[in-house]
Amino acid sequence: MSLLAVTGALANESAQQDNEEDVYESGLVIQEWNKDITGDNYPDSIKLTGVLFPDSSLFYQTVWADIKSYNGEEFRIVYESGYSPTLTFEDLNHDGIVDLFYSSATGGSGGLYHYDLHTLANQKLEKFTSSTTSKSGSKV
C-alpha cells in the first residue's frame, strides 16, 4: 500500500470520528434521571439523548444514553434508532440492582419495537439482549 493510500485512509478515519463526535454534541436530551444503577447506593446521572431525522419527523436517527456514575466514571450506550425512545429501570436479572431497559418503535406498520437490556452493576457495563419484537411479543 502506498504512503498516499495510508494517509488517505487515516484522514477518512479521522473525519469519521469527528462526524461521530459532532453527532453526540448536537443531540437533544429526551429524558434525564438521577438513579442508582451501579449498586453503590448513590444516584448516577443518566441522559437519554437523540438526533432527530432532518425532515422534522419524530424519528430519532441516533439514540444514546450518557451515564455518569457517582464516582465520576462515564459510560455511553448507543441504541437503535426509532420513534419514542425510552428507558425504564427495573431489576430484570434479579441481582438487586436496577437495569436499563431501552425500547423504541421502529415506525413500521407491523408494530415492531427495538429492545435492549443493559446493567451497570458494580461499574461494569454489560449488554444482555438486543432484539426487534412485535407488539404481540413474537421475535422478528
Side-chain angles (χ1 to χ4, degrees), residues 35-61:
K35 294 185 163 297
D36 176 21
I37 60 172
T38 57
D40 61 4
N41 294 318
Y42 294 103
D44 305 300
S45 170
I46 305 112
K47 287 185 185 178
L48 184 63
T49 308
V51 175
L52 288 167
F53 214 76
D55 68 356
S56 300
S57 75
L58 297 176
F59 184 85
Y60 286 89
Q61 64 182 354

Side-chain angles (χ1 to χ4, degrees), residues 84-110:
S84 303
T86 192
L87 284 174
T88 55
F89 304 91
E90 297 290 333
D91 181 13
L92 297 172
N93 64 353
H94 307 290
D95 65 354
I97 301 168
V98 295
D99 306 305
L100 293 88
F101 182 70
Y102 170 80
S103 66
S104 69
T106 64
S109 61

